[in-house]
Each structure stands twice: as structure tokens, then as C-alpha cells.
Amino acid sequence: MRPLLAGRTSVRALINTLLCLGLLIAAAPVFSQSTADLLPVTEAYKLSSDASTPGVLKLHWTLAQDYYLYRGRMKFKAGPGVTLGEPQFPDGEKHHDEYLGDVEIYHHSIDATVPYTLAAGTTRLALSVQYQGCHEVDPKICYPPHTEQLDLPLPAGAGKSIDSAATSSNSSLGDALHALGGKSSATGNGPLPPEQAFRLEALASSPGHLLLRWTMPKGYYLYKDQTTLQPHDAPGLTLKPTWPAGVMHQDAKYGSVTVYFDQLELPVAVDGDLAGRQSLTLDASFQGCQDGGLCYPVMHRTLTIDLASADASPSAAAVAPEMPPAGIAGTAVQASLLSALLLALGGGLVLNLMPCVLPVLSIKAVSILESGESATSARRHALYYSAGVLCSFAALGLSILALRSAGHALGWGSQLQQPLLVGVLACVMLAVGLSMSGVVQFGASLGNTGASLASRSGPAGDFFTGVLAVVVASPCTAPFMGSALAYAFAAPMLSALLVFLMLGIGLALPFLLIGFVPALARLLPRPGRWMETLKEVLAFPMYLTAVWLVWVLAHQRGADAVGLVLVAMVLLAMALWWFERSRHGRALSKVFVALLAIAALVPLYLLAHVVPPATAATTQEGVVAYTPEKLASLRASDTPVFVDMTADWCVTCKANEHTVLDSDAFRALLKRTGAVYMKGDWTDVNPTISAFLQQYHSPGVPLYVVFPKHGGPGNQLSTVLTPSMVEQALTAAAQ
């Protein structure tokens, strides 16, 4: 490890050296001018310190006229026996620096505070303060980083400190906190003793599943990465916690970290042989801070958990973080396997009516109509189409379950977050539409390729039409399907796989019935010339689907991506057109077709490397963009919050917005209840929103959660909203 750390230190030192060199180079033209009027750094930036308040160091800079300091270039390093907390600065002025980019600077004066704790026996407050600034008028020059060493006497009684031993004595801990500038817990104003600031309890929901709960007063938070759990004197056991989404926090010591405010519920799985064990002893180590105040040393707790009294078959809600008590998707996790299978069957059936799937199903409708004179042909169509659907759902289910076992999250419909796949699907829809319009006819030689999706005969065409139906079905979350998927994402692997297969059966069931029930087949119109016209008419939904996919791509990667996919679609259309014209032509014509097809792949290759455009703030009036920090801030201020997780490719999301969330009645409801409408966009890959979805065991979007005014768990609503449902939830949250 030492060579690695030394290497990182060397790299950091090199970066700082180059940055300073760049600032000096920027000032090089003025060195020819007179610098006699420039002040020494300690006169341009006069620093004074005040350690009279125990536990808090106050710093004050007085800046000369035409001089400024960088906020981001201020650094503090503790001396022997001193532990520094997170410095507190006032907001600076926004400034664009040629070398540092967008920064904050200060003019005139700055007041900052640095909380600290002391090790036992420490009698002096020693630390170094580094800062850097510039002269902003001619001669324009930036000073190199300057460091001042502070060695300050401590006020009476400030030599005491908080340490892990102090947790064993309330009276000694109260004295230590008082010495750090806090007041006794009775006053409610100072830092609390650790056992009051971070209350930890644990229970067993089953012999193999634990639930740990930290409860913290308002203004206290717990570090995720500083928390460790170990079984006590049980070498054959391992603990696997499932962390919920936290709040990203910029920490002076640890950098960007995840923290938890108010309450943390942590499900922990116990791996190993628990046979014969009546109890389990757990060693927990963790660290936390008072927001804007001191940070506690690492705390240690030992808990003994009774396993014998645990329910042998716990519900998923017992171990899920903040699982809601209401809502279709919320209760689906607790549903039995039979009810989940019935919900999956209903969801698959409803998918046949969704606008995402209808264009693909139009292909099969024509196929079955054209084979109406042959019962054998109809059955073959139905079986191969159903096989494609079931294989796709099985593969999708196994992939998601494998990622779930490895600790990753993959949401339903998340494949449409991949711009390359969206572009490929747009090209496929265009090709199918051109085939149905009669521009090109795919023969038997292409029966085993993706282009045979539009073929009117052949097992491969039927099978891959089923595959395509599943791929484009994912953005359409039917009401029943969302509940079944929620169960599958939390159920055992075999049960979850059965749910995915039942979804496939529901999607394929209408064609299975037509293929195997002659009475239903006889209800279909008899074949005729009208069928060719119907096929050409049904090509237009394919074109509209391609347009919709390009629209989704525009939101993901911007205008450059749209231009690339349009070029690919034009080249593909040209290749298909020339393929049909040269069907019986010379070999040279076929080579030209191949070259056009390869040329169509080039824009798609470039599309995969287009970076997302810079994220702009939401322009929708009355909507707050979702961030964990903003949500935690609103909840801390006792504000009810309506969280909407959505995506541009989610048809159900758009339907809910049109009927409920974009209405004047909803805006009036927000105003009446004092609630904030917060929206998270999952159109593109977003780990923060994925973590929120995982916390609520949601298989994808839409996800709607209403957080009440005075704390408590969020109320998860159904994936299909109604005005009365939303009004009832927000009214209850505002009380």
C-alpha cells in the first residue's frame, strides 16, 4: 500500500505544481511591469484567529482593495492531537477563472469557523492554514499558495475530548462535550452524547435476516463508508448489508461520501450455518457528525439479537428500507406467488393493447389472417411467436436476477437508456415499415436474420417477432405488470423466474388462442386483396414508433445523436431499396448493397460514443429536480413532498402526466397542501435515481412516493394514478 499511497501523493503534488505554474504563466506578461506596489501576501490577506470558544476556531481574513481569495483553495491541516471538523465558509461570489474554471471568490473580508476535537493531554491548538489569492487589476498576478502555522493557547477546560472510552460514562461524556463548547443534553443546544445522538437497535426478522435501525435527532448524520458490522466470536458467519440510497455529502476529511439523516434502516443478511443458535452477538462500528458542528470519533456498540423469537417466514416488508404500507406496487412484494402469477398474466394480456406493442403485433395479425385457410399454419405461427416471447422473458428475467444476486440494479425498460439500442430499434422499425409498405420483400434467404421480422412465413420470422415484441414492450408498464414485477424483484429466484414466464404467457395468449381454437380462428375475416392494403396501412404505426424512438434519443444525447441516427436510417432505406431493385442483378450490385449496409453501421458506431449533453435545470414551472440532498432538506423542513420518477420512453408515465400531474387541479392541490412536486428523470442512466428505485423495490418507472410533512416513511402509490388517489395521499401527508 505504501508505494501506491506515495504514488498518489506524488501525482497530487505534481497536479498542484502544474496548477501553480499555470497561474504564474498567466501572470508572466505583467512581470515586465512594475510590481513595487504589490503588497506582501500577509498584508494583502491579513489573517487573525480566535480560539476563545471551546471546540470552535474562528478565522477572519481582511482583504486589501483589488485583492481576492479563492474559496476552493483554502485548506487546513491539523497538528498533533487535533482533529478538525468540516470548515464553514460564507457563500462567495461566482467567478470564472481561466485556469480553475467556475469558482467562488471573496473580496474585502471573510469569516470562517473550523470545529475541532482534541486528544487527551493536548494543551495547544496547532494547525496549518493554506490559502491562495490574486491581484485583479494591473499588474494582474496570482500569488502562489501561502501557508500560515497557528499555535494557539486553549481556553480553560478545553483540553478534554470525546473518545470511545467516554461512551461508557454519561457524566464524563457530558463534561467532555461541555468542554468542546456544547451544552448538556438537558439544554438541547449542544452536541448530544453518542448514545443519544446515534441510537442503535437491532432485531431478527428471521434467523437469517436482521434489521438494524439508527435513529438520530434532527441535524445529525451517519457515514455509510465508516460503518462496519461483524459477528462476534462466530468465524463461520458473514454479514451482507443492503444499503438504501443516502444523501451525497462533501466532507472535508473523506471527500464526497454518502450519509444518512434522521433514520437509517439497514437490512442485513446472515450467511452461514445458524443451526442451533438461539442468539447472535453483533459488533457494530460507525461514525457520525452533527451538521455544521463536531464529528464524533468512531463509536463501537455490541448488540445481542434473539434469533429464536424471529418469525420463520418474514415478509419482505420486515427487512425492506422504508417500505410503504399502501399502494399496489408496495403490497405486491408481500403478495403470495399465486397472486403474483395472476397479476403477471393480467399484465401480459394488457400489454397487447399498449401503443408500444401494437405496431409489432400488426405484423402477426397480417400473418395469421393470411394463413386463415390452414389450421396448421395458424398453430405454427402462434407457437413460434410464443416461443420468441417466452425465451425473451426468460432471458430478461435471468439477466436481472443474476445482476440482483451480484448486488446490481437493473430496472424494467432500462435497456432503452442505451442510445445505441434506441438507434438500432429505430432502424429496425423503419426496415419493418418499408417491408410492409412494399418497398422491399425479404425472401427465404434472409429468413434466419433480423430482417425476417417482417416475413409472412417461416419459423424464424415468427420467433423474432416475439423477441421484438418483448423488447419494445418494456416502456409500457401495465398496471398489473408493475405489481408482478415488484414481487419478482424481491422474491426467490425460482418464483421470480415463474413471474417473468407468466408475463410472456399473457403477452402471447391471444395468438395462442387464435391458433389453437378453431372457433376463434373462424371469426377472422377471410383472406383477400384487402389484406395487402391492411398491411400497407399498418406500416405507418411502425414509422411512428421509429419517430418516437428518435425523440427519446434526442432527450438522451441531443441533436448530434439525432443527426447520426437519421443518417443511418437514410442509408438503411437506400440499401433496402437497392436490394429490391438488384434482386436478380449482377454480383456487383449486391456488393453495393453490402457497402450501403456497412455504411449505415458507421453512424450507429459513432452514436454509441456521443456523450450526454450538459444537464440543464428543469424549466417546468413548479417542479423541483430530484436530488437526495434536496429531498432530505425538504423533509427536514417539515415539507410534504410528491416524488415522481419518470422517463421519456415510459408510456405510462406520460399518460399519468397528461391525465393527472399536468392538470390545474394537481397544481391547486400542491398549493393547498403546501407540498413540493419533485421529479427525477430516468430517461438516461442515472445511478442516483436507480438507487431510489431499488430502495422501494420498484422494477422501473413510473414510481410515485408521497413523503409526509412530519417525517415517517413515504407512501408509495400505484403506477397508474387517479386524481382522487393523489388528492387523498397529499392531504394525508400535509396533516
Side-chain angles (χ1 to χ4, degrees):
M1 285 296 295
R2 289 187 177 181
L4 178 59
L5 291 174
R8 290 179 178 173
T9 304
S10 300
V11 171
R12 190 179 297 112
L14 177 61
I15 292 173
N16 288 333
T17 302
L18 292 176
L19 182 57
C20 295
L21 182 61
L23 293 173
L24 292 174
I25 291 173
V30 305
F31 280 131
S32 59
Q33 304 176 27
S34 173
T35 60
D37 294 334
L38 288 174
L39 297 174
V41 64
T42 54
E43 293 185 20
Y45 314 103
K46 294 181 180 180
L47 173 62
S48 60
S49 57
D50 178 6
S52 61
T53 303
V56 179
L57 172 63
K58 299 178 181 178
L59 300 174
H60 177 82
W61 281 268
T62 301
L63 281 62
Q65 183 70 25
D66 299 326
Y67 290 80
Y68 64 84
L69 278 178
Y70 293 104
R71 175 176 178 173
R73 306 295 291 171
M74 293 184 177
K75 299 179 181 179
F76 304 87
K77 185 176 180 180
V82 179
T83 301
L84 299 179
E86 184 175 358
Q88 302 296 315
F89 297 101
D91 292 335
E93 305 169 29
K94 304 299 182 183
H95 175 73
H96 183 77
D97 189 274
E98 184 178 359
Y99 293 94
L100 300 179
D102 293 328
V103 295
E104 290 186 41
I105 61 174
Y106 298 108
H107 288 90
H108 309 306
S109 66
I110 313 167
D111 286 293
T113 58
V114 183
Y116 66 88
T117 58
L118 303 173
T122 304
T123 59
R124 306 280 296 183
L125 177 59
L127 72 156
S128 63
V129 181
Q130 184 184 99
Y131 53 88
Q132 185 178 12
C134 298
H135 187 238
E136 60 185 351
V137 297
D138 291 334
K140 295 181 180 179
I141 186 173
C142 289
Y143 292 85
H146 176 73
T147 301
E148 293 193 33
Q149 301 293 334
L150 302 182
D151 187 7
L152 307 173
L154 296 171
K160 299 179 182 179
S161 65
I162 299 178
D163 55 29
S164 58
T167 63
S168 61
S169 171
N170 288 344
S171 59
S172 63
L173 181 60
D175 293 340
L177 288 170
H178 181 75
L180 287 172
K183 301 181 181 180
S184 66
S185 59
T187 66
N189 296 323
L192 296 170
E195 66 271 15
Q196 296 182 23
F198 303 93
R199 301 176 63 181
L200 174 61
E201 52 189 338
L203 57 89
S205 55
S206 75
H209 293 86
L210 312 177
L211 180 64
L212 275 63
R213 180 184 293 112
W214 282 265
T215 304
M216 295 155 281
K218 187 174 182 179
Y220 288 77
Y221 60 85
L222 185 74
Y223 291 107
K224 172 185 175 181
D225 294 337
Q226 303 304 313
T227 304
T228 59
L229 305 171
Q230 294 291 338
H232 185 76
D233 292 336
L237 301 180
T238 57
L239 303 178
K240 295 184 177 180
T242 303
W243 291 94
V247 176
M248 294 307 298
H249 175 72
Q250 191 64 35
D251 189 86
K253 181 176 181 181
Y254 300 115
S256 181
V257 294
T258 300
V259 300
Y260 299 93
F261 286 86
D262 301 329
Q263 188 177 81
L264 165 63
E265 291 190 351
L266 181 64
V268 180
V270 183
D271 280 358
D273 186 10
L274 292 171
R277 280 188 174 270
Q278 299 297 312
S279 63
L280 176 64
T281 302
L282 178 69
D283 292 329
S285 299
F286 51 91
Q287 187 177 15
C289 298
Q290 183 184 21
D291 196 15
L294 65 87
C295 285
Y296 292 74
V298 176
M299 293 163 274
H300 304 278
R301 306 277 173 85
T302 299
L303 306 97
T304 300
I305 304 168
D306 184 10
L307 301 179
S309 61
D311 182 6
S313 57
S315 68
V319 297
E322 216 175 70
M323 279 301 294
I328 293 179
T331 57
V333 178
Q334 306 174 36
S336 66
L337 176 60
L338 178 60
S339 61
L341 293 176
L342 291 176
L343 288 170
L345 181 64
L349 283 169
V350 174
L351 273 182
N352 287 280
L353 305 176
M354 302 301 284
C356 306
V357 186
L358 276 175
V360 178
L361 298 188
S362 65
I363 303 172
K364 286 292 94 187
V366 172
S367 300
I368 291 181
L369 285 171
E370 292 181 341
S371 60
E373 74 283 356
S374 170
T376 301
S377 178
R379 285 194 294 268
R380 188 192 69 236
H381 276 295
L383 284 175
Y384 280 106
Y385 171 80
S386 301
V389 170
L390 291 175
C391 288
S392 300
F393 267 108
L396 180 62
L398 289 172
S399 300
I400 292 175
L401 294 174
L403 288 171
R404 187 188 74 179
S405 301
H408 301 284
L410 180 63
W412 178 255
S414 60
Q415 65 268 27
L416 287 186
Q417 293 176 339
Q418 308 303 321
L420 178 60
L421 180 59
V422 175
V424 170
L425 281 175
C427 291
V428 169
M429 291 298 175
L430 175 66
V432 172
L434 291 174
S435 173
M436 299 181 74
S437 296
V439 174
V440 61
Q441 297 291 329
F442 298 118
S445 61
L446 295 177
N448 293 321
T449 67
S452 63
L453 289 173
S455 178
R456 293 175 292 176
S457 63
D462 297 326
F463 181 88
F464 283 107
T465 303
V467 172
L468 185 60
V470 175
V471 171
V472 300
S474 58
C476 303
T477 305
F480 305 114
M481 194 180 76
S483 304
L485 284 173
Y487 174 90
F489 274 64
M493 183 169 292
L494 180 59
S495 299
L497 185 59
L498 288 175
V499 169
F500 277 98
L501 291 176
M502 188 60 74
L503 282 166
I505 291 175
L507 180 60
L509 187 58
F511 288 110
L512 284 172
L513 291 175
I514 292 174
F516 283 85
V517 180
L520 292 176
R522 283 194 291 270
L523 295 177
L524 295 174
R526 298 183 64 84
R529 292 186 58 186
W530 63 271
M531 293 176 53
E532 189 67 24
T533 302
L534 175 62
K535 184 183 72 171
E536 294 174 357
V537 169
L538 290 177
F540 291 97
M542 311 302 293
Y543 299 137
L544 289 176
T545 303
V547 171
W548 167 67
L549 289 167
V550 173
W551 176 79
V552 170
L553 190 62
H555 284 253
Q556 291 176 333
R557 292 296 186 270
D560 290 344
V562 171
L564 288 171
V565 76
L566 290 178
V567 170
M569 294 170 76
V570 170
L571 291 172
L572 176 62
M574 187 183 301
L576 295 175
W577 167 72
W578 192 256
F579 168 77
E580 187 65 26
R581 285 181 60 88
S582 62
R583 183 181 295 273
H584 304 293
R586 298 178 180 179
L588 184 61
S589 297
K590 296 180 180 179
V591 170
F592 184 63
V593 171
L595 290 176
L596 285 174
I598 294 173
L601 297 177
V602 174
L604 295 177
Y605 171 80
L606 298 175
L607 173 63
H609 295 82
V610 175
V611 298
T615 302
T618 178
T619 57
Q620 189 174 352
E621 184 180 357
V623 178
V624 176
Y626 169 79
T627 64
E629 297 85 352
K630 185 62 177 178
L631 176 59
S633 174
L634 290 170
R635 298 203 67 192
S637 63
D638 291 335
T639 302
V641 185
F642 183 94
V643 176
D644 170 13
M645 293 301 177
T646 183
D648 288 334
W649 39 258
C650 171
V651 176
T652 308
C653 304
K654 296 304 177 185
N656 287 333
E657 291 173 9
H658 178 72
T659 57
V660 178
L661 302 180
D662 288 343
S663 65
D664 293 336
F666 179 69
R667 287 186 283 270
L669 177 62
L670 292 174
K671 185 176 182 180
R672 185 171 71 251
T673 58
V676 170
Y677 180 24
M678 179 173 283
K679 182 181 289 189
D681 189 356
W682 207 46
T683 301
D684 208 344
V685 177
N686 189 315
T688 302
I689 294 179
S690 298
F692 188 89
L693 296 174
Q694 187 180 21
Q695 179 181 350
Y696 283 88
H697 297 280
S698 176
V701 290
L703 171 63
Y704 305 104
V705 183
V706 177
F707 291 96
K709 180 178 182 179
H710 298 296
N715 177 24
Q716 185 174 345
L717 306 183
S718 169
T719 55
V720 177
L721 297 179
T722 63
S724 60
M725 176 198 306
V726 175
E727 182 176 7
Q728 181 179 1
L730 282 176
T731 302
Q735 295 176 351

